[in-house]
Amino acid sequence: MISFDEALDRLLTSATPLGAERVPLDEAAGRILAEDLLAHEALPPFDHTAMDGYALALDTLVGDAPWSLPVRGESAAGGPLPTLEPGAACRIFTGARLPEGADTIVPQEDVERTGDTITLQTPPQRGTWIRRRGADLALGAIALARGARLTPGKVALAAALDRPVLLVTRRPLVTILCSGDELRAPGIPGEPGSIPESNGYFVAAAARAAGAIARIAPFVADDPDHARDAVRHALRGADLVVTIGGVSVGDRDVMRPALEAAGVTLDFWRVAIKPGKPLCVGRATQGDATTHVLGLPGNPASASLTFTLFGLPLLRALQGDLSPHAPRLSVRIRGSVRRQPGRTEFLRARLDVTSGELVAHLFPNQASGAVTSFAEADALILVPADKDHVADGERLWALRLSEA
Ligand SMILES: Nc1nc2c(c(=O)[nH]1)N[C@H]1C(S)=C(S)[C@@H](COP(=O)(O)OP(=O)(O)OC[C@H]3O[C@@H](n4cnc5c(N)ncnc54)[C@H](O)[C@@H]3O)O[C@H]1N2
Ligand code: MOO
């Protein structure tokens, strides 16, 4: 059985970013940039005023206060560029270009205007309220680096740089195969002992949130031949096949042999994590195409956990994300747990801020069959494999589920 760190390393090392495609800006949010975006334009692109007021040349103010200047001309955002008349002030509005010859802006609150004359009581500073060309971003600078996830702020930056289309990595295609004779679709009446399929919904929703295109395939019966054929079919055209259930040791756990029979080479089976130990990971290649395969254990918390820990970083790596790992944050633990050392454990917890500190409240029910825990948890608390207990008040690392 391999450790959590080694398993994740092996999986991510095997992930080569997918090809790139061009998308219009308003479809770019959440995608990963596949090229460095250079500033072909400086930001701001021209000197302009940050305030509504008057543009003037400071040297015009000679002698002692007060100073009176005639107002001549106007510069409005998007309007023509006036030249400052010698000895005069030019009316100017926020965002407008600085008139030629002006070096200072005086906000309108700081002057008294009578007819076409303004009067200043206090001297402004030279250059004040002017936003200089390139002060935000210099011409030719790397505005966004390849591998960056396009947040709303980054999309807006690309727009400001006049780029209507961006090169991004294509979305991974994910096929989800749920196995088990007991499964039925939610809302469809079934035999006693059947249960609504729920894990596939977690995987599909989480995969989509990570940028993938995900679909849930028809359920797979607990039958080796059916499972093998279903895997073969799922492998076609998918970048990632996620199977759920049937990877443990029971006679009806048909998924692992079915994966191998369908041509998947398993890299490893069983990881020293709790829950989720029976996870299996492999790959299939057809021509140039590689399909990654994650065989998740069926218990709901185990399936959600293993997809969060392995599936999401894999999807990020396939999209060329240069930081595919989920960020970790340090939290103070509330609650305690006695445990058997040996596996890295992930405890579900709710987070809040108490006395200025991030606190994780451990859920009393950490069962791998619990469906409620992933619905309510904010974070997974990472308990190192060698620990035999978690004490109330100690500090541990956490993965926040909204960022995992
Ligand atoms: N003798 C042993 N038994 C088990 C072991 C073991 O080491 N020795 N491992 C246990 C662990 S740990 C896990 S986790 C489970 C995983 O088993 P499988 O991956 O084979 O999962 P199933 O048996 O198919 O299902 C387990 C459980 O989850 C429910 N399930 C499955 N799929 C779904 C779904 N898509 N949506 C909702 N619920 C689902 C299923 O009905 C079962 O209740 O094995 C232990 N056993
Ligand atoms: O590892 Mo199982 O996934 O604990 O229930």
Side-chain angles (χ1 to χ4, degrees):
M1 196 159 47
I2 67 174
S3 72
F4 170 59
D5 288 339
E6 187 188 344
L8 188 54
D9 268 7
R10 267 160 75 159
L11 177 64
L12 294 182
T13 308
S14 74
T16 310
L18 305 173
E21 63 184 9
R22 295 192 186 278
V23 294
L25 265 190
D26 61 4
E27 289 169 25
R31 307 293 295 272
I32 304 288
L33 201 60
E35 60 179 347
D36 287 341
L37 199 78
L38 297 181
H40 294 324
E41 189 55 272
L43 284 182
F46 43 80
D47 295 350
H48 67 266
T49 174
M51 294 295 249
D52 295 311
Y54 300 89
L56 49 88
L58 195 67
D59 292 345
T60 315
L61 308 182
V62 286
D64 296 330
W67 300 277
S68 289
L69 298 176
V71 179
R72 298 280 180 268
E74 180 178 292
S75 184
L81 181 64
T83 301
L84 185 67
E85 222 176 80
C90 179
R91 185 76 171 117
I92 194 163
F93 301 105
T94 305
R97 290 180 290 170
L98 198 63
E100 296 206 17
D103 61 9
T104 301
I105 301 293
V106 185
Q108 61 194 49
E109 297 86 329
D110 297 350
V111 306
E112 211 171 280
R113 179 158 178 168
T114 316
D116 277 344
T117 302
I118 56 167
T119 303
L120 290 78
Q121 299 292 346
T122 47
Q125 287 200 341
R126 193 187 304 277
T128 189
W129 299 117
I130 296 172
R131 293 182 183 141
R132 292 288 176 196
R133 170 167 198 263
D136 197 7
L137 191 68
L139 181 68
I142 295 182
L144 294 171
R146 165 204 281 262
R149 180 169 291 272
L150 292 164
T151 58
K154 290 184 168 66
V155 174
L157 176 56
L161 290 169
D162 234 350
R163 307 292 275 266
V165 170
L166 297 177
L167 190 71
V168 299
T169 314
R170 74 169 171 81
R171 293 182 185 279
L173 299 171
V174 180
T175 300
I176 302 158
L177 273 185
C178 303
S179 79
D181 291 344
E182 72 278 28
L183 300 180
R184 58 182 171 78
I188 303 294
E191 299 296 320
S194 69
I195 56 161
E197 195 287 307
S198 58
N199 293 335
Y201 286 92
F202 179 94
V203 171
R208 287 175 192 138
I213 296 169
R215 66 170 200 114
I216 302 179
F219 299 156
V220 182
D222 291 327
D223 169 80
D225 294 341
H226 181 225
R228 178 205 55 217
D229 292 348
V231 172
R232 262 194 202 138
H233 189 70
L235 288 171
R236 270 183 233 136
D239 300 301
L240 170 63
V241 169
V242 179
T243 70
I244 301 172
V247 290
S248 189
V249 293
D251 297 344
R252 288 173 164 270
D253 290 335
V254 297
M255 197 45 88
R256 220 163 15 95
L259 290 173
E260 295 195 282
V264 175
T265 306
L266 291 183
D267 187 14
F268 52 87
W269 171 54
R270 296 203 294 190
V271 182
I273 53 174
K274 185 179 177 200
K277 181 175 81 173
L279 173 74
C280 66
V281 170
R283 277 189 304 286
T285 46
Q286 278 153 328
D288 291 348
T290 297
T291 304
H292 293 265
V293 178
L294 295 179
L296 311 183
N299 277 323
S302 312
S304 303
L305 180 86
T306 47
F307 190 70
T308 301
L309 295 179
F310 293 91
L312 296 180
L314 172 63
L315 289 176
R316 289 193 285 264
L318 288 175
Q319 290 171 86
D321 189 331
L322 296 178
S323 0
H325 291 274
R328 292 182 182 182
L329 32 107
S330 170
V331 295
R332 178 84 59 201
I333 301 295
R334 282 285 159 261
S336 62
V337 174
R338 291 233 141 257
R339 65 186 294 278
Q340 265 207 324
R343 292 189 271 165
T344 305
E345 187 163 359
F346 295 88
L347 299 170
R348 278 84 78 201
R350 183 176 60 75
L351 294 182
D352 69 13
V353 176
T354 307
S355 310
E357 205 178 32
L358 201 53
V359 172
H361 303 265
L362 302 181
F363 291 164
N365 182 3
Q366 296 286 343
S368 60
V371 191
T372 51
S373 60
F374 260 84
E376 288 161 4
D378 301 312
L380 301 171
I381 310 306
L382 201 150
V383 184
D386 57 358
K387 278 176 80 74
D388 66 359
H389 74 287
V390 174
D392 187 72
E394 76 172 295
R395 270 194 171 281
L396 288 174
W397 291 109
L399 309 180
R400 198 194 283 268
L401 282 173
S402 58
E403 304 172 330

